[in-house]
Amino acid sequence: MKLYSTNNRNLTVDFPEAVFNSMPQDKGLYMPQEIPAVPAEFIENIKDYTLPEIAFQVAASLLGDALPTADLKRIVEEAVNFDAPAVRLDKNTYVLELFHGPSLAFKDFGARFMSRIMAYFLKDGEEMLDVLVATSGDTGGAVALGFLGVPNTRVTILYPSGKVSPIQELQLCTNGQNIHAIEVDGTFDDCQHLVKQAFADQELQEKRRLTSANSINISRLIPQTFYYFYAYAQMQKQGKTEVVFSVPSGNFGNLAAGLLATKMGLPVKQFIAATNANDTVPRYLESGVYEARASVQTYANAMDVGAPSNWVRIMDIFNQDREAIRKLVSSCTYTDEETLAAIEAVYKRYQYVACPHTAIAWLALEEYTAKHEDEVFAGVFLSTAHPCKFPAIFPVEIAAAIEVPEQVQEMNLRVKQAVQMEADFEAFKTYLLNL
Ligand SMILES: *Cc1c(COP(=O)(O)O)cnc(C)c1O
């Protein structure tokens, strides 16, 4: 398998290099040179396959000869060890629950696969991979739990003191084993700056095998294609083959994975890119002018992205052709008021509690369905996180209806373990050298 940079298709690297670099030198993003279609009979009979079987088939098609199939099979089975059910809400409306992994968010798919791929590709003599992550909340939890217990890896997470939610802090600080948390007396930007300094430090580079487990890493994108195929399989099982996916989007990795799946032969009628007030992509698709903006804070804060990093991948998939994108991808944007009203409407209509990100995807699907009344299709909106992660957003009655998963209740009983640190690079460096 070869990958090129979206800034220069002639610059190609092997899969392990793309995995450890995250980003090419020219600041493009890595994309697979070949996107082979899965066998047609696989799609025709996909309803008969389990999620791990589908994941393996898709990964094997895409990764080709990058690693032996037996190793890939083991990695996929370890990474995708939780379900992604499409729960039926009414005749043709389904919510694809992607939050049954350890951090209760869809980022578990990417993080669990990436961690195992990285551990696998460590070279002989490289005994320990040090993953450094600065987080303002959700990403850190998924990465920490993704690497938890993975041999030959060690994660150090820096988070800003007092600026992450209680559940997020528990997910960062109660793991033990190979996961270390540093509570920085400062902001998220301070945390990110410390990580950047570490990567630029020569002594650390010599003495440690550092990696960033960045969210734009190609090994996080690939496993996100799995659940689109699996969702389609669940629809096929119910005799439905016209499928519309509504995707709550921030950095647009999730949507990029869905579009990659269609390139591999998954038949999808339409995608809907649903955003909060951070509407760079809907504005672009409407006007043809791409103008990134500073992000604004919303209830769906994991989607508060003004300059979505994965958008260049989507442009690349469509050869920079906006009209081609518009044929397959509709888009819309919603305010916080509309998000809250959607949470209430979903609860009232289905007795279902949707997290703010999920509610935006539902709203977008509703709007699309109303505009396409004469068409028959299964509408699947993606639920990217469990609602218990955002307790402050919900009206009291709805909050009371949230079923808190056992793993969260169990986490509450554990002791928080974090090293307190000033935003000081020398202190951070000493810490890393003494690990
Ligand atoms: C990261 C995240 C998103 C946005 O996904 P992208 O791939 O960045 O578009 C949506 N919802 C939740 C809960 C997230 O954590």
Side-chain angles (χ1 to χ4, degrees), residues 3 32 70 72 127 135 150 163 186 209 227 230 238 279 299 310 357 363 412:
L3 301 102
L72 181 61
E127 275 136 32
T135 186
V150 175
K163 295 190 179 72
R209 179 73 168 100
Y227 51 72
Y230 182 56
Q238 311 211 7
D279 61 349
Y299 290 154
N310 277 296
H357 314 80
L363 201 51
N412 271 310

Side-chain angles (χ1 to χ4, degrees), residues 21-233:
N21 286 353
S22 274
M23 190 183 259
Q25 296 249 304
D26 64 11
K27 302 266 159 58
L29 293 185
Y30 287 116
M31 282 298 278
Q33 198 169 40
E34 309 261 340
I35 304 178
V38 294
E41 61 268 31
F42 170 64
I43 297 289
E44 276 157 32
N45 302 308
I46 197 165
K47 65 176 189 324
D48 300 329
Y49 291 81
T50 65
L51 173 56
E53 285 165 353
I54 289 171
F56 170 65
Q57 176 74 244
V58 174
S61 286
L62 202 51
L63 296 181
D65 56 0
L67 63 167
T69 50
D71 295 340
L72 181 61
K73 189 156 188 287
R74 180 182 52 77
I75 288 172
V76 164
E77 282 170 2
E78 274 180 38
V80 187
N81 66 345
F82 52 91
D83 198 15
V87 176
R88 188 175 181 174
L89 295 182
D90 66 24
K91 190 158 163 276
N92 280 317
T93 308
Y94 297 79
V95 52
L96 183 66
E97 294 185 343
L98 300 173
F99 55 69
H100 293 286
S103 84
L104 307 174
F106 82 110
K107 291 194 173 69
D108 288 326
F109 280 90
R112 287 181 66 81
F113 187 75
M114 173 178 63
S115 59
R116 285 159 181 83
I117 285 287
M118 284 185 166
Y120 180 81
F121 281 116
L122 275 180
K123 294 201 182 66
D124 288 344
E126 289 178 335
E127 275 136 32
M128 182 60 74
L129 181 70
D130 268 301
V131 183
L132 305 184
V133 192
T135 186
S136 55
D138 251 15
T139 309
V143 172
L145 290 157
F147 279 90
L148 181 64
V150 175
N152 306 322
T153 69
R154 187 163 60 190
V155 180
T156 302
I157 302 164
L158 297 92
Y159 72 97
S161 180
K163 295 190 179 72
V164 302
S165 79
I167 286 192
Q168 288 170 337
E169 189 165 27
L170 283 171
Q171 287 184 342
L172 301 176
C173 300
T174 61
N175 296 302
Q177 297 185 55
N178 57 334
I179 311 299
H180 309 265
I182 300 182
E183 182 176 4
V184 175
D185 186 11
T187 62
F188 168 63
D189 288 339
D190 292 329
C191 297
Q192 212 165 26
H193 188 55
L194 288 172
V195 169
K196 283 196 177 139
Q197 282 175 290
F199 281 106
D201 188 275
Q202 198 164 358
E203 188 183 0
L204 278 174
Q205 283 294 354
E206 278 162 17
K207 293 188 173 157
R208 292 280 178 267
R209 179 73 168 100
L210 299 177
T211 187
S212 67
N214 202 300
S215 68
I216 44 86
N217 196 293
I218 188 71
S219 66
R220 280 176 72 161
L221 195 71
I222 289 167
Q224 292 185 256
T225 59
F226 304 162
Y227 51 72
Y228 285 97
F229 284 91
Y230 182 56
Y232 184 85

